[in-house]
Amino acid sequence: MRRCCTVLVALWLAGFSAGPRVAAAEPEAAKLGEFIPAQSPQPAPEISFTDIEGKAVALGDFHGNLVLVNLWATWCQPCVREMPSLARLQEKLGPGLTLLAVSEDRGGIKTVQPFLEKIGLDKLKVYIDPKSDVGHAFKVRGLPTTLVIGGNGEILGRVEGAAEWDSPKMLAILRPLVPASRSDNFLKGAWLDDAASNKGPLKGTPLKGLRVTDPSR
């Protein structure tokens, strides 16, 4: 069912004119919902969109973080299904990850705002792209599609179709891509807060010289 929905969405997005060039750029055997690494990372296009309040935002504003540009629409069931796991991914990877959920709905804010109020996912930062400029720039073939962009602004890969973003497999792929300084600070803060509260595994442990490790492992 998921494959069928994605194929139909891809046909609807035929205006992106990706054609054989995009098909040749990615492995034909790639499965929906799996990370497809870029064969040769290239700089992400200079694109802009608007936030839910109508403020213009540029992709370059998030340079230095691992960025996920998630292209979705309210009518796309696979898109909606993966949203909770995207929110959980943001919580697990912390501030070193910037998640941009960019709506391709042609109705713009008038369509997206009531939808967001209905599903209640207030932890996702949603943006609006009613003319599908972002989809065109990334030569997207269908929805949902998520672009993975490194801290240096290069496209590291993509995921076509819905994914379980907080699964152990996906976390193992994405966690090493978070810029080291951001990841270390996040983990350090989590552990020191735990120690200060005397509730966690660091209870009674001197903080001086502490080696910070990932508490989820």
Side-chain angles (χ1 to χ4, degrees), residues 111-122:
T111 299
V112 176
Q113 185 67 58
F115 174 81
L116 294 177
E117 293 174 355
K118 180 179 178 180
I119 65 174
L121 272 178
D122 55 356

Side-chain angles (χ1 to χ4, degrees), residues 63-74:
H63 188 85
N65 272 18
L66 176 66
V67 178
L68 266 59
V69 180
N70 173 253
L71 297 175
W72 68 285
T74 59

